[in-house]
Amino acid sequence: MKNIQMVDLRSQYEKIKTEINTGIQEVIDTTSFIKGKKVTDFQQALESYLNVKHVIPVGNGTDALQIALMALGLKPGDEVITPTFTFIATAEVVALLGLTPVVVDVDFDTFNISLESLRKAITPKTKAIVPVHLFGQNADMEGILALAKEHNLFVVEDACQSVGSVYTFSDGSQVQSGCMGDIGCTSFFPSKNLGCFGDGGAIFTNNDELAANMRAIANHGMVVRYYHDIVGINSRLDSIQAAVLEVKLKYLNNYISGRQTAATYYNTTFAGNEKIIIPAQSSNSTHVFHQYTLKLNDVNRADLIKFLTEKGIPAMIYYPVPLHLQKAYRDNRYKAGDFPIAEKLCDCVLSLPMHTELTEEQLKYITRNVLEFINN
Ligand SMILES: *Cc1c(COP(=O)(O)O)cnc(C)c1O
């Protein structure tokens, strides 16, 4: 059996090696490494995949979030709400821009922002909500958008883990992850569902004015060359990464079904075990399983991880500490116990290997060992 990895990029590459190598070679042959044709081609392909008006390729997912927030014209002290159970990037860019991060609790079943908690956190200073579609499943966007409309707030979706996930609104309309709010942000970090061979990211919007503004911000605040109208940054997707992404986008739907097949195997095998809570399937969103994350009930997690590691099975904790208890973000507004669901999740979650190349033999081996530990 092949070695088990959290993410097996090597095996995925082997299957599309010729196409990828050809794409990269084309960039080298033309030497248009920055803002080349590959970048525009990929941008257009992604716009049509997502059915969104504008895709703005940028340097990484964190830059995407930063540029999005810069484009909203917020002022120091304005409050931006984000879930406390997530990766640091959302709170980080809020803090870097001199805005005030306000964190809220999440829903135990879906790991996503809790609408109840969100509603209570809105104040007259609130200007934006940054929901994170964690682990590959969209947050309750219908509820979030309704709250945003009621309070006149911007919605910037963090779709770094959820590209390709589809949300169904109650009127039956279906929209791609990242294309429901004012702005959506994604990352092409190699292990993401649509990953390149280095750093990359993109911003999505249907709003022409925001798109123009964000394109300028990503390019030193420049519209006409060497005339700088606003303070910007430098954030670009390079042509070699775009060449890789252009190929991989064609396989994204296959990659998603590969992940879903692995998740179904896990779910079926673990179903009914009272010490394991399998990931909940939300009724209005597809799940693209960026991570396959269990909640353990009365299991010694550290010992389980040790046991699995000895068997050659990696397992990770995403995420061990909520934002409000991170050293850099501690302030007197928050203390331990304030967000009990997020804190509980940090203590009981465990992510198993999840990628597009998992074989049935590997899945059988992983689940057999998890159950052997848990049932003893
Ligand atoms: C990966 C990720 C980011 C950051 O993306 P980078 O490309 O690494 O900057 C932000 N938010 C979430 C939820 C992520 O998973």
Side-chain angles (χ1 to χ4, degrees), residues 59-65 86-90 92 132-135 158-162 185-192 198-201 290 319:
N60 57 65
T62 310
D63 279 3
L65 288 162
T86 183
F87 182 60
I88 201 73
T90 45
E92 185 173 56
V132 182
H133 305 308
L134 207 69
F135 303 149
D158 181 335
C160 289
Q161 303 188 356
S162 60
C185 298
T186 204
S187 164
F188 303 127
F189 184 80
S191 64
K192 297 286 155 82
D199 274 309
H290 175 61
Y319 294 92

Side-chain angles (χ1 to χ4, degrees), residues 284-337:
N284 42 17
S285 173
T286 62
H287 200 323
V288 296
F289 290 99
H290 175 61
Q291 299 297 345
Y292 182 84
T293 305
L294 298 172
K295 287 174 281 238
L296 301 172
N297 181 17
D298 197 23
V299 174
N300 185 324
R301 183 173 61 173
D303 285 353
L304 171 58
I305 293 174
K306 194 161 158 266
F307 176 84
L308 294 174
T309 308
E310 280 162 10
K311 304 278 182 183
I313 302 168
M316 301 285 288
I317 299 169
Y318 303 118
Y319 294 92
V321 182
L323 299 190
H324 67 284
L325 300 180
Q326 295 284 356
K327 197 169 159 196
Y329 294 84
R330 284 220 164 171
D331 65 40
N332 53 23
R333 291 175 303 160
Y334 302 122
K335 58 182 186 316

Side-chain angles (χ1 to χ4, degrees), residues 355-373:
H355 55 80
T356 59
E357 311 302 317
L358 281 165
T359 63
E360 188 152 339
E361 190 189 17
Q362 290 176 318
L363 289 163
K364 199 171 194 171
Y365 179 79
I366 296 165
T367 48
R368 180 161 49 80
N369 279 290
V370 170
L371 289 171
E372 184 184 322
F373 180 90

Side-chain angles (χ1 to χ4, degrees), residues 212-214 216-223 227-233:
N213 202 0
M214 291 190 289
I217 291 169
N219 187 26
H220 300 289
M222 172 165 90
V223 178
Y227 289 81
H228 303 272
D229 301 342
I230 44 178
V231 176
I233 65 169

